[in-house]
């Protein structure tokens, strides 16, 4: 199997309602979808979500990196048969991007597209490489930033549809009151987590966490900015609330340093952030092996492509503490697949069994929602 052509789509799909947190506000999806085509015209789709504050990538650097660094090194080369995720991912070169932590959104998009194509060529599902250990995945609700009254309204809605795992964005003046109000609206049974997106300094983190710990907090995500693992380890000792790392965990070196410093209780593994399925699986297994819990996270505004990949990973891990994503048209004005990936009542969603990633992407929707389209061939 050889790859002969690729198309890059820079998407801008409006959100039904804007989503905000302490590091910014989003009103539309700005992911990049990659379609690859092989020598017998099989197609595969992948997606990456460039975030300047996560991996250091932007839509522009991602298009450029895919076109100039990654694609020229895979086009017209023999793709290994897709029966081992690790060997398959090794087919993609390790690349670097000046000024970025790692070009992981680019790598994830291409990895997923090539994997989807290779599996579809032989009509096999991704489960052939990542056998599921559970037949349903249960998703969390995520409460966006904004006025406390709106957070409470969202908490009540989530309680009404039976979501058990809820995360609320923090990192504001009113954090303690916000968390108390959300806990009150959710009731005592729900599992509640916080995500500060790196907004706190050490003292503020300790102050808020010690003030809300009695409300029953399952974990706090990224309380401090990406930086010193020793400082994070000190915070972990200073608060009873379990620590989850997100922005601090991008590369394999990050994972190793965090584990060695005993700086976290949970890893938030996200496929775009961690450079694809192979990288995400490796980070997850490293965490589980070290006795940490794993959350399979998502990127706000991702389409069904990344949601499908996340579903497979969450179904396949030996243990998974929390799962996020698969919001589909709860967030996007339109999603890109024939099948809906949106979670249902109580946050449940079935595993995907179709060929490749298990969804059929509607190319016409990509074209209609794209603000830029680039065609790549063997000639470049
Ligand atoms: Mg986060």
């Amino acid at each position: 199997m050889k790859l002969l052509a690729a198309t890059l789509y820079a998407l801008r799909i409006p959100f039904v309602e804007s989503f905000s947190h302490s590091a910014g506000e989003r009103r539309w999806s700005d992911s990049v979808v990659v379609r690859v085509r092989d020598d017998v015209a099989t197609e595969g789709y992948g997606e990456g979500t460039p975030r300047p504050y996560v991996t250091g990538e932007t839509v522009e650097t991602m298009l450029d990196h895919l076109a100039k660094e990654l694609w020229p090194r895979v086009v017209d080369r023999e793709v290994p048969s897709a029966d081992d995720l690790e060997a398959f991912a090794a087919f993609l070169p390790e690349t670097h991007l000046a000024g970025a932590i790692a070009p992981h959104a680019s790598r994830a998009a291409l990895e997923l597209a090539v994997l989807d194509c290779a599996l579809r060529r032989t009509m096999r599902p991704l489960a052939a490489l990542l056998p599921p250990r559970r037949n349903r995945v249960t998703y969390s609700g995520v409460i966006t930033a904004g006025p406390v009254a709106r957070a409470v309204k969202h908490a009540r809605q989530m309680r009404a549809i039976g979501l058990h795992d809820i995360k609320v964005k923090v990192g504001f003046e009113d954090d303690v009151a916000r968390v108390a109000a959300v806990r009150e609206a959710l009731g005592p049974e729900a599992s509640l987590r916080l995500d500060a997106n790196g907004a706190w300094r050490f003292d503020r983190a300790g102050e808020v966490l010690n003030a809300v710990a009695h409300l029953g907090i399952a974990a706090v995500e990224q309380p401090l900015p990406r930086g010193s693992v020793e400082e994070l380890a000190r915070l972990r000792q200073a608060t009873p609330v379990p620590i989850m790392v997100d922005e601090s965990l991008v590369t394999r070196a990050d994972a190793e340093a965090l584990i060695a410093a005993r700086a976290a209780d949970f890893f938030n593994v996200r496929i775009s952030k961690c450079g694809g399925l192979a990288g995400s699986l490796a980070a997850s297994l490293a965490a589980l092996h070290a006795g940490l819990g794993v959350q399979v996270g998502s990127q706000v505004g991702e389409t069904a492509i990344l949601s499908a990949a996340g579903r497979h990973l969450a179904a396949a891990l030996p243990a998974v503490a929390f799962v996020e994503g698969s919001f589909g048209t709860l967030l996007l004005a339109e999603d890109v697949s024939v099948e809906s990936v949106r979670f249902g009542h109580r946050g449940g969603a079935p595993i995907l069994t179709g060929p490749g990633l298990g969804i059929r992407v509607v190319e016409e929707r990509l074209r209609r929602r794209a603000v830029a389209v680039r065609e790549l061939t063997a000639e470049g």
Side-chain angles (χ1 to χ4, degrees):
M1 167 186 170
K2 286 183 176 179
L3 300 172
L4 298 186
T7 310
L8 313 181
Y9 308 83
L11 298 184
R12 183 165 281 206
I13 304 177
F15 286 177
V16 176
E17 182 176 5
S18 78
F19 187 98
S20 41
H21 56 72
S22 63
E25 181 175 10
R26 317 199 72 80
R27 296 173 188 278
W28 52 74
S29 146
D30 48 5
S31 58
V32 173
V33 168
V34 176
R35 176 182 65 175
V36 296
R37 191 178 298 130
D38 72 2
D39 45 356
V40 293
T42 316
E43 292 180 344
Y45 289 91
E47 178 185 13
T49 46
R51 297 286 181 264
Y53 57 89
V54 180
T55 62
E57 296 164 278
T58 65
V59 171
E60 289 69 29
T61 64
M62 194 175 158
L63 292 173
D64 206 55
H65 195 75
L66 279 161
K68 294 186 181 149
E69 299 293 331
L70 284 166
W71 178 250
R73 293 160 74 178
V74 299
V75 63
D76 220 14
R77 280 183 48 212
E78 190 62 32
V79 179
S81 67
D83 40 44
D84 175 338
L85 196 54
E86 195 64 29
F88 181 78
F91 168 69
L92 298 185
E94 277 303 332
T95 56
H96 302 278
L97 174 63
I101 295 167
H104 275 180
S106 307
R107 184 184 177 86
L110 186 60
E111 187 217 71
L112 294 177
V114 180
L115 194 53
D116 190 41
C117 182
L119 288 164
R120 280 174 187 281
R121 185 182 168 111
T122 50
M123 291 303 285
R124 286 182 302 159
L126 183 52
L129 302 192
L130 268 181
R133 296 184 191 237
R134 50 197 68 82
N135 53 27
R136 285 185 79 71
V137 171
T138 303
Y139 288 87
S140 299
V142 181
I143 299 176
T144 170
V148 173
R150 194 171 74 171
V152 166
K153 187 184 107 185
H154 283 161
R156 291 202 182 109
Q157 287 168 346
M158 289 172 189
R159 185 180 188 173
I161 63 166
L163 296 186
H164 177 264
D165 299 326
I166 307 291
K167 180 167 102 177
V168 60
K169 294 288 188 180
V170 293
F172 312 100
E173 296 269 296
D174 58 10
D175 281 334
V176 176
R178 174 178 299 269
V179 176
V182 167
R183 169 53 87 191
E184 169 80 27
L186 291 174
E189 302 299 320
S191 164
L192 178 59
R193 332 194 275 292
L194 315 181
D195 187 357
N197 289 100
W200 293 326
R201 298 270 169 208
F202 187 93
D203 290 348
R204 173 68 176 160
E207 179 190 310
V208 175
L209 293 173
N210 288 320
V212 300
H214 72 282
L215 296 167
I217 308 299
V220 59
E221 200 170 307
Q222 203 64 36
L224 304 176
R226 179 186 167 90
S228 162
V229 292
E230 289 77 21
E231 189 183 36
L232 196 58
R234 277 209 312 282
L235 180 66
R236 183 165 172 253
Q237 294 305 320
T239 169
V241 178
I243 306 273
M244 185 182 300
V245 282
D246 183 7
E247 287 86 343
S248 288
L249 172 73
V250 174
T251 65
R252 283 190 188 214
D254 290 339
E256 287 162 13
L258 288 159
I259 289 170
R262 300 179 187 276
D265 298 281
F266 294 93
F267 275 8
N268 183 19
V269 173
R270 302 194 275 167
I271 289 168
S272 180
K273 179 185 76 166
C274 297
L277 269 170
S280 299
L281 183 65
S284 302
L285 296 179
L288 294 174
H289 185 71
L292 282 67
V294 172
Q295 167 170 298
V296 175
S298 69
Q299 303 283 160
V300 172
E302 70 186 24
T303 75
I305 302 169
L306 271 172
S307 292
R311 179 85 49 89
H312 285 283
L313 179 65
L317 290 179
V320 62
F322 305 103
V323 189
E324 295 180 350
S326 280
F327 292 106
T329 51
L330 289 171
L331 189 62
L332 299 175
E334 180 180 51
D335 207 340
V336 302
S337 60
V338 175
E339 303 80 3
S340 170
V341 294
R342 212 170 112 165
F343 61 72
H345 189 60
R346 295 182 186 278
I351 57 169
L352 300 166
T353 55
L357 291 173
I359 53 163
R360 285 165 295 164
V361 173
V362 184
E363 200 268 347
E364 179 273 329
R365 293 186 199 163
L366 298 178
R367 250 173 226 282
R368 188 155 39 78
R369 298 292 184 178
V371 289
V373 177
R374 282 205 206 168
E375 303 289 350
L376 308 176
T377 62
E379 284 74 45

